Amino acid sequence: MKLSNAEILETARRRAGITQNDLAKELGVSLPTYSRWIKGSFDDVLLIHAHILEELLNVKFSIDNTPDGKRIKISL
């Protein structure tokens, strides 16, 4: 089963012992904003914050070219 980017980030966040609220603060956004990102499509936002997420959650970002365009891939 393939995990979505949101599921990967949430798994990594829990593994790192970071609350959603603390992660939102590190990203410079409110908790409701972070929650909306996790519930929806947020690939553009991920690129802006990739360096912070990689450092805090120990994940890696890459961009895949697909027939539907470029897609962000996050791996644990």
PDB file of all heavy atoms in Angstrom, residues 34-58:
ATOM      1  N   TYR A  34      -1.880  24.248   9.115  1.00  0.00           N
ATOM      2  CA  TYR A  34      -1.195  22.961   8.972  1.00  0.00           C
ATOM      3  C   TYR A  34      -2.212  21.832   8.789  1.00  0.00           C
ATOM      4  O   TYR A  34      -2.036  20.970   7.929  1.00  0.00           O
ATOM      5  CB  TYR A  34      -0.299  22.682  10.181  1.00  0.00           C
ATOM      6  CG  TYR A  34       0.368  21.333  10.106  1.00  0.00           C
ATOM      7  CD1 TYR A  34       1.482  21.139   9.302  1.00  0.00           C
ATOM      8  CD2 TYR A  34      -0.145  20.251  10.806  1.00  0.00           C
ATOM      9  CE1 TYR A  34       2.076  19.892   9.205  1.00  0.00           C
ATOM     10  CE2 TYR A  34       0.443  19.001  10.715  1.00  0.00           C
ATOM     11  CZ  TYR A  34       1.550  18.829   9.912  1.00  0.00           C
ATOM     12  OH  TYR A  34       2.127  17.586   9.813  1.00  0.00           O
ATOM     13  N   SER A  35      -3.279  21.854   9.564  1.00  0.00           N
ATOM     14  CA  SER A  35      -4.315  20.821   9.462  1.00  0.00           C
ATOM     15  C   SER A  35      -4.948  20.805   8.073  1.00  0.00           C
ATOM     16  O   SER A  35      -5.197  19.729   7.516  1.00  0.00           O
ATOM     17  CB  SER A  35      -5.401  21.035  10.519  1.00  0.00           C
ATOM     18  OG  SER A  35      -4.873  20.856  11.803  1.00  0.00           O
ATOM     19  N   ARG A  36      -5.198  21.983   7.495  1.00  0.00           N
ATOM     20  CA  ARG A  36      -5.747  22.048   6.135  1.00  0.00           C
ATOM     21  C   ARG A  36      -4.774  21.458   5.133  1.00  0.00           C
ATOM     22  O   ARG A  36      -5.170  20.760   4.197  1.00  0.00           O
ATOM     23  CB  ARG A  36      -6.082  23.494   5.762  1.00  0.00           C
ATOM     24  CG  ARG A  36      -7.412  23.960   6.269  1.00  0.00           C
ATOM     25  CD  ARG A  36      -7.861  25.261   5.607  1.00  0.00           C
ATOM     26  NE  ARG A  36      -6.873  26.326   5.653  1.00  0.00           N
ATOM     27  CZ  ARG A  36      -6.701  27.173   6.667  1.00  0.00           C
ATOM     28  NH1 ARG A  36      -7.459  27.067   7.742  1.00  0.00           N
ATOM     29  NH2 ARG A  36      -5.788  28.113   6.623  1.00  0.00           N
ATOM     30  N   TRP A  37      -3.488  21.740   5.311  1.00  0.00           N
ATOM     31  CA  TRP A  37      -2.489  21.174   4.398  1.00  0.00           C
ATOM     32  C   TRP A  37      -2.521  19.657   4.436  1.00  0.00           C
ATOM     33  O   TRP A  37      -2.469  19.005   3.404  1.00  0.00           O
ATOM     34  CB  TRP A  37      -1.095  21.636   4.767  1.00  0.00           C
ATOM     35  CG  TRP A  37      -0.802  23.079   4.524  1.00  0.00           C
ATOM     36  CD1 TRP A  37      -1.587  23.990   3.876  1.00  0.00           C
ATOM     37  CD2 TRP A  37       0.364  23.778   4.936  1.00  0.00           C
ATOM     38  NE1 TRP A  37      -0.978  25.209   3.865  1.00  0.00           N
ATOM     39  CE2 TRP A  37       0.226  25.115   4.508  1.00  0.00           C
ATOM     40  CE3 TRP A  37       1.506  23.417   5.627  1.00  0.00           C
ATOM     41  CZ2 TRP A  37       1.194  26.075   4.744  1.00  0.00           C
ATOM     42  CZ3 TRP A  37       2.472  24.372   5.864  1.00  0.00           C
ATOM     43  CH2 TRP A  37       2.319  25.685   5.423  1.00  0.00           C
ATOM     44  N   ILE A  38      -2.572  19.096   5.627  1.00  0.00           N
ATOM     45  CA  ILE A  38      -2.525  17.652   5.778  1.00  0.00           C
ATOM     46  C   ILE A  38      -3.777  16.987   5.204  1.00  0.00           C
ATOM     47  O   ILE A  38      -3.717  15.886   4.687  1.00  0.00           O
ATOM     48  CB  ILE A  38      -2.321  17.270   7.270  1.00  0.00           C
ATOM     49  CG1 ILE A  38      -0.917  17.659   7.706  1.00  0.00           C
ATOM     50  CG2 ILE A  38      -2.564  15.806   7.532  1.00  0.00           C
ATOM     51  CD1 ILE A  38       0.209  16.978   6.949  1.00  0.00           C
ATOM     52  N   LYS A  39      -4.891  17.673   5.278  1.00  0.00           N
ATOM     53  CA  LYS A  39      -6.151  17.105   4.780  1.00  0.00           C
ATOM     54  C   LYS A  39      -6.332  17.286   3.278  1.00  0.00           C
ATOM     55  O   LYS A  39      -7.157  16.614   2.668  1.00  0.00           O
ATOM     56  CB  LYS A  39      -7.342  17.725   5.512  1.00  0.00           C
ATOM     57  CG  LYS A  39      -7.408  17.336   6.964  1.00  0.00           C
ATOM     58  CD  LYS A  39      -8.538  18.048   7.657  1.00  0.00           C
ATOM     59  CE  LYS A  39      -8.506  17.742   9.140  1.00  0.00           C
ATOM     60  NZ  LYS A  39      -9.448  18.560   9.892  1.00  0.00           N
ATOM     61  N   GLY A  40      -5.582  18.187   2.664  1.00  0.00           N
ATOM     62  CA  GLY A  40      -5.789  18.489   1.254  1.00  0.00           C
ATOM     63  C   GLY A  40      -4.530  18.280   0.438  1.00  0.00           C
ATOM     64  O   GLY A  40      -3.569  17.670   0.862  1.00  0.00           O
ATOM     65  N   SER A  41      -4.554  18.801  -0.747  1.00  0.00           N
ATOM     66  CA  SER A  41      -3.406  18.739  -1.646  1.00  0.00           C
ATOM     67  C   SER A  41      -2.527  19.951  -1.369  1.00  0.00           C
ATOM     68  O   SER A  41      -2.991  21.086  -1.420  1.00  0.00           O
ATOM     69  CB  SER A  41      -3.875  18.751  -3.092  1.00  0.00           C
ATOM     70  OG  SER A  41      -2.764  18.773  -3.948  1.00  0.00           O
ATOM     71  N   PHE A  42      -1.268  19.698  -1.119  1.00  0.00           N
ATOM     72  CA  PHE A  42      -0.411  20.798  -0.691  1.00  0.00           C
ATOM     73  C   PHE A  42       1.007  20.687  -1.254  1.00  0.00           C
ATOM     74  O   PHE A  42       1.948  21.145  -0.646  1.00  0.00           O
ATOM     75  CB  PHE A  42      -0.377  20.853   0.838  1.00  0.00           C
ATOM     76  CG  PHE A  42       0.099  19.570   1.486  1.00  0.00           C
ATOM     77  CD1 PHE A  42       1.366  19.464   1.993  1.00  0.00           C
ATOM     78  CD2 PHE A  42      -0.742  18.474   1.563  1.00  0.00           C
ATOM     79  CE1 PHE A  42       1.803  18.287   2.577  1.00  0.00           C
ATOM     80  CE2 PHE A  42      -0.306  17.292   2.150  1.00  0.00           C
ATOM     81  CZ  PHE A  42       0.964  17.200   2.655  1.00  0.00           C
ATOM     82  N   ASP A  43       1.162  20.111  -2.440  1.00  0.00           N
ATOM     83  CA  ASP A  43       2.492  19.923  -3.011  1.00  0.00           C
ATOM     84  C   ASP A  43       3.277  21.221  -3.149  1.00  0.00           C
ATOM     85  O   ASP A  43       4.473  21.259  -2.877  1.00  0.00           O
ATOM     86  CB  ASP A  43       2.408  19.227  -4.372  1.00  0.00           C
ATOM     87  CG  ASP A  43       2.192  17.729  -4.246  1.00  0.00           C
ATOM     88  OD1 ASP A  43       2.155  17.218  -3.108  1.00  0.00           O
ATOM     89  OD2 ASP A  43       2.077  17.072  -5.287  1.00  0.00           O
ATOM     90  N   ASP A  44       2.624  22.305  -3.573  1.00  0.00           N
ATOM     91  CA  ASP A  44       3.336  23.576  -3.725  1.00  0.00           C
ATOM     92  C   ASP A  44       3.877  24.072  -2.386  1.00  0.00           C
ATOM     93  O   ASP A  44       4.976  24.602  -2.302  1.00  0.00           O
ATOM     94  CB  ASP A  44       2.422  24.646  -4.326  1.00  0.00           C
ATOM     95  CG  ASP A  44       2.047  24.340  -5.759  1.00  0.00           C
ATOM     96  OD1 ASP A  44       2.764  23.554  -6.407  1.00  0.00           O
ATOM     97  OD2 ASP A  44       1.041  24.891  -6.225  1.00  0.00           O
ATOM     98  N   VAL A  45       3.094  23.896  -1.341  1.00  0.00           N
ATOM     99  CA  VAL A  45       3.513  24.317  -0.003  1.00  0.00           C
ATOM    100  C   VAL A  45       4.701  23.481   0.456  1.00  0.00           C
ATOM    101  O   VAL A  45       5.628  23.989   1.088  1.00  0.00           O
ATOM    102  CB  VAL A  45       2.336  24.194   0.989  1.00  0.00           C
ATOM    103  CG1 VAL A  45       2.791  24.457   2.405  1.00  0.00           C
ATOM    104  CG2 VAL A  45       1.213  25.127   0.594  1.00  0.00           C
ATOM    105  N   LEU A  46       4.694  22.209   0.119  1.00  0.00           N
ATOM    106  CA  LEU A  46       5.794  21.326   0.530  1.00  0.00           C
ATOM    107  C   LEU A  46       7.132  21.816   0.007  1.00  0.00           C
ATOM    108  O   LEU A  46       8.131  21.775   0.711  1.00  0.00           O
ATOM    109  CB  LEU A  46       5.544  19.905   0.036  1.00  0.00           C
ATOM    110  CG  LEU A  46       4.416  19.154   0.706  1.00  0.00           C
ATOM    111  CD1 LEU A  46       4.237  17.799   0.041  1.00  0.00           C
ATOM    112  CD2 LEU A  46       4.671  18.986   2.183  1.00  0.00           C
ATOM    113  N   LEU A  47       7.160  22.266  -1.221  1.00  0.00           N
ATOM    114  CA  LEU A  47       8.420  22.740  -1.795  1.00  0.00           C
ATOM    115  C   LEU A  47       8.963  23.940  -1.028  1.00  0.00           C
ATOM    116  O   LEU A  47      10.166  24.060  -0.831  1.00  0.00           O
ATOM    117  CB  LEU A  47       8.234  23.104  -3.263  1.00  0.00           C
ATOM    118  CG  LEU A  47       8.121  21.931  -4.218  1.00  0.00           C
ATOM    119  CD1 LEU A  47       7.867  22.435  -5.632  1.00  0.00           C
ATOM    120  CD2 LEU A  47       9.357  21.061  -4.170  1.00  0.00           C
ATOM    121  N   ILE A  48       8.085  24.803  -0.587  1.00  0.00           N
ATOM    122  CA  ILE A  48       8.509  25.988   0.153  1.00  0.00           C
ATOM    123  C   ILE A  48       9.146  25.601   1.483  1.00  0.00           C
ATOM    124  O   ILE A  48      10.112  26.203   1.926  1.00  0.00           O
ATOM    125  CB  ILE A  48       7.310  26.933   0.385  1.00  0.00           C
ATOM    126  CG1 ILE A  48       6.819  27.464  -0.961  1.00  0.00           C
ATOM    127  CG2 ILE A  48       7.675  28.073   1.329  1.00  0.00           C
ATOM    128  CD1 ILE A  48       5.481  28.164  -0.892  1.00  0.00           C
ATOM    129  N   HIS A  49       8.603  24.574   2.129  1.00  0.00           N
ATOM    130  CA  HIS A  49       9.031  24.184   3.466  1.00  0.00           C
ATOM    131  C   HIS A  49       9.863  22.897   3.491  1.00  0.00           C
ATOM    132  O   HIS A  49      10.122  22.362   4.570  1.00  0.00           O
ATOM    133  CB  HIS A  49       7.816  24.006   4.373  1.00  0.00           C
ATOM    134  CG  HIS A  49       7.035  25.266   4.551  1.00  0.00           C
ATOM    135  ND1 HIS A  49       7.500  26.338   5.279  1.00  0.00           N
ATOM    136  CD2 HIS A  49       5.832  25.637   4.079  1.00  0.00           C
ATOM    137  CE1 HIS A  49       6.604  27.312   5.246  1.00  0.00           C
ATOM    138  NE2 HIS A  49       5.582  26.911   4.525  1.00  0.00           N
ATOM    139  N   ALA A  50      10.285  22.404   2.341  1.00  0.00           N
ATOM    140  CA  ALA A  50      10.975  21.115   2.264  1.00  0.00           C
ATOM    141  C   ALA A  50      12.195  21.051   3.174  1.00  0.00           C
ATOM    142  O   ALA A  50      12.392  20.062   3.880  1.00  0.00           O
ATOM    143  CB  ALA A  50      11.369  20.814   0.825  1.00  0.00           C
ATOM    144  N   HIS A  51      13.013  22.088   3.184  1.00  0.00           N
ATOM    145  CA  HIS A  51      14.241  22.041   3.984  1.00  0.00           C
ATOM    146  C   HIS A  51      13.948  21.910   5.472  1.00  0.00           C
ATOM    147  O   HIS A  51      14.642  21.197   6.199  1.00  0.00           O
ATOM    148  CB  HIS A  51      15.123  23.253   3.683  1.00  0.00           C
ATOM    149  CG  HIS A  51      14.531  24.551   4.122  1.00  0.00           C
ATOM    150  ND1 HIS A  51      13.492  25.160   3.458  1.00  0.00           N
ATOM    151  CD2 HIS A  51      14.818  25.345   5.181  1.00  0.00           C
ATOM    152  CE1 HIS A  51      13.179  26.278   4.079  1.00  0.00           C
ATOM    153  NE2 HIS A  51      13.954  26.417   5.136  1.00  0.00           N
ATOM    154  N   ILE A  52      12.911  22.587   5.956  1.00  0.00           N
ATOM    155  CA  ILE A  52      12.553  22.491   7.373  1.00  0.00           C
ATOM    156  C   ILE A  52      12.033  21.094   7.688  1.00  0.00           C
ATOM    157  O   ILE A  52      12.422  20.485   8.689  1.00  0.00           O
ATOM    158  CB  ILE A  52      11.491  23.546   7.738  1.00  0.00           C
ATOM    159  CG1 ILE A  52      12.067  24.957   7.577  1.00  0.00           C
ATOM    160  CG2 ILE A  52      10.973  23.345   9.162  1.00  0.00           C
ATOM    161  CD1 ILE A  52      11.032  26.056   7.673  1.00  0.00           C
ATOM    162  N   LEU A  53      11.151  20.582   6.827  1.00  0.00           N
ATOM    163  CA  LEU A  53      10.578  19.258   7.057  1.00  0.00           C
ATOM    164  C   LEU A  53      11.643  18.172   6.985  1.00  0.00           C
ATOM    165  O   LEU A  53      11.625  17.229   7.783  1.00  0.00           O
ATOM    166  CB  LEU A  53       9.458  18.993   6.051  1.00  0.00           C
ATOM    167  CG  LEU A  53       8.223  19.892   6.222  1.00  0.00           C
ATOM    168  CD1 LEU A  53       7.315  19.788   5.008  1.00  0.00           C
ATOM    169  CD2 LEU A  53       7.475  19.539   7.497  1.00  0.00           C
ATOM    170  N   GLU A  54      12.575  18.289   6.048  1.00  0.00           N
ATOM    171  CA  GLU A  54      13.655  17.297   5.959  1.00  0.00           C
ATOM    172  C   GLU A  54      14.483  17.284   7.239  1.00  0.00           C
ATOM    173  O   GLU A  54      14.823  16.221   7.752  1.00  0.00           O
ATOM    174  CB  GLU A  54      14.552  17.581   4.749  1.00  0.00           C
ATOM    175  CG  GLU A  54      13.930  17.192   3.438  1.00  0.00           C
ATOM    176  CD  GLU A  54      14.820  17.475   2.246  1.00  0.00           C
ATOM    177  OE1 GLU A  54      15.668  18.395   2.305  1.00  0.00           O
ATOM    178  OE2 GLU A  54      14.667  16.766   1.248  1.00  0.00           O
ATOM    179  N   GLU A  55      14.785  18.453   7.745  1.00  0.00           N
ATOM    180  CA  GLU A  55      15.610  18.551   8.948  1.00  0.00           C
ATOM    181  C   GLU A  55      14.878  18.053  10.195  1.00  0.00           C
ATOM    182  O   GLU A  55      15.415  17.266  10.974  1.00  0.00           O
ATOM    183  CB  GLU A  55      16.042  20.004   9.155  1.00  0.00           C
ATOM    184  CG  GLU A  55      16.994  20.187  10.314  1.00  0.00           C
ATOM    185  CD  GLU A  55      17.447  21.627  10.437  1.00  0.00           C
ATOM    186  OE1 GLU A  55      17.903  22.191   9.425  1.00  0.00           O
ATOM    187  OE2 GLU A  55      17.331  22.180  11.539  1.00  0.00           O
ATOM    188  N   LEU A  56      13.646  18.494  10.389  1.00  0.00           N
ATOM    189  CA  LEU A  56      12.899  18.148  11.600  1.00  0.00           C
ATOM    190  C   LEU A  56      12.394  16.711  11.617  1.00  0.00           C
ATOM    191  O   LEU A  56      12.383  16.054  12.658  1.00  0.00           O
ATOM    192  CB  LEU A  56      11.700  19.076  11.773  1.00  0.00           C
ATOM    193  CG  LEU A  56      11.994  20.508  12.175  1.00  0.00           C
ATOM    194  CD1 LEU A  56      10.703  21.318  12.168  1.00  0.00           C
ATOM    195  CD2 LEU A  56      12.642  20.557  13.552  1.00  0.00           C
ATOM    196  N   LEU A  57      11.958  16.219  10.446  1.00  0.00           N
ATOM    197  CA  LEU A  57      11.295  14.921  10.400  1.00  0.00           C
ATOM    198  C   LEU A  57      12.141  13.816   9.776  1.00  0.00           C
ATOM    199  O   LEU A  57      11.700  12.682   9.686  1.00  0.00           O
ATOM    200  CB  LEU A  57       9.974  15.040   9.637  1.00  0.00           C
ATOM    201  CG  LEU A  57       8.986  16.086  10.163  1.00  0.00           C
ATOM    202  CD1 LEU A  57       7.727  16.076   9.318  1.00  0.00           C
ATOM    203  CD2 LEU A  57       8.670  15.856  11.634  1.00  0.00           C
ATOM    204  N   ASN A  58      13.333  14.162   9.317  1.00  0.00           N
ATOM    205  CA  ASN A  58      14.224  13.189   8.694  1.00  0.00           C
ATOM    206  C   ASN A  58      13.559  12.478   7.512  1.00  0.00           C
ATOM    207  O   ASN A  58      13.537  11.257   7.422  1.00  0.00           O
ATOM    208  CB  ASN A  58      14.731  12.169   9.720  1.00  0.00           C
ATOM    209  CG  ASN A  58      15.941  11.411   9.216  1.00  0.00           C
ATOM    210  OD1 ASN A  58      16.713  11.931   8.422  1.00  0.00           O
ATOM    211  ND2 ASN A  58      16.093  10.189   9.665  1.00  0.00           N
TER     212      ASN A  58
END
